[in-house]
Amino acid sequence: MCLFCKIAQHEIKANIVLEDEHAVAFRDINAAAPTHVLVIPKKHIVSLSEATEADQALLGRLLLMARAVAEKLDLLNAGYRTVVNNGTDAGQSVFHLHIHVLAGRKLTWPPG
Ligand code: DGP
């Protein structure tokens, strides 16, 4: 089973920020910003490229959980960035779809 499936099933410990029936948000182990949270579906989807029409509602839920994370961590005013790395060139290293929620410093653009 993949690493993030194990986190979603509480087989591997993570610092969980939010959880519901379909998704989990937890602190990234290798934070790239003062706040760095990952939002994942409990369903194993390898990457955004592997998502289908059947995942439409789930994808919406993930974005809303990213927003809920921002609200819970009081980021709505200062701002935050959501990122989905998709595939090798984008730097995806864990092949279970996840949305990064980054905040707590001025983030530059374009990303590296
Ligand atoms: P990406 O490079 O977009 O696939 O992001 C994967 C992220 O997952 C990366 O920022 C580090 C994080 N990560 C990897 N292994 C673990 C882990 O075991 N626990 C937690 N909390 N985060 C992890």
Side-chain angles (χ1 to χ4, degrees):
M1 203 196 297
C2 97
L3 175 65
F4 283 2
C5 284
K6 286 182 178 167
I7 287 176
Q9 293 181 17
H10 302 274
E11 288 176 20
I12 290 180
K13 221 169 137 52
N15 187 343
I16 292 175
V17 177
L18 282 177
E19 179 168 10
D20 67 16
E21 193 186 340
H22 300 284
V24 190
F26 56 94
R27 303 269 181 183
D28 194 296
I29 208 168
N30 188 20
T35 298
H36 189 170
V37 174
L38 302 173
V39 179
I40 66 167
K42 290 189 174 177
K43 174 184 173 184
H44 183 74
I45 300 173
V46 169
S47 67
L48 189 58
S49 296
E50 302 294 322
T52 69
E53 286 291 325
D55 299 312
Q56 184 180 25
L58 181 57
L59 295 175
R61 282 175 174 275
L62 296 177
L63 271 184
L64 286 173
M65 185 174 275
R67 190 226 177 264
V69 165
E71 184 166 26
K72 182 171 183 181
L73 301 182
D74 200 19
L75 306 172
L76 292 181
N77 285 334
Y80 58 97
R81 181 173 292 168
T82 54
V83 173
V84 179
N85 292 326
N86 189 75
T88 312
D89 272 6
Q92 185 176 6
S93 61
V94 177
F95 289 86
H96 179 124
L97 176 64
H98 48 283
I99 301 175
H100 295 259
V101 180
L102 298 144
R105 66 173 169 81
K106 199 89 180 161
L107 297 163
T108 57
W109 192 265

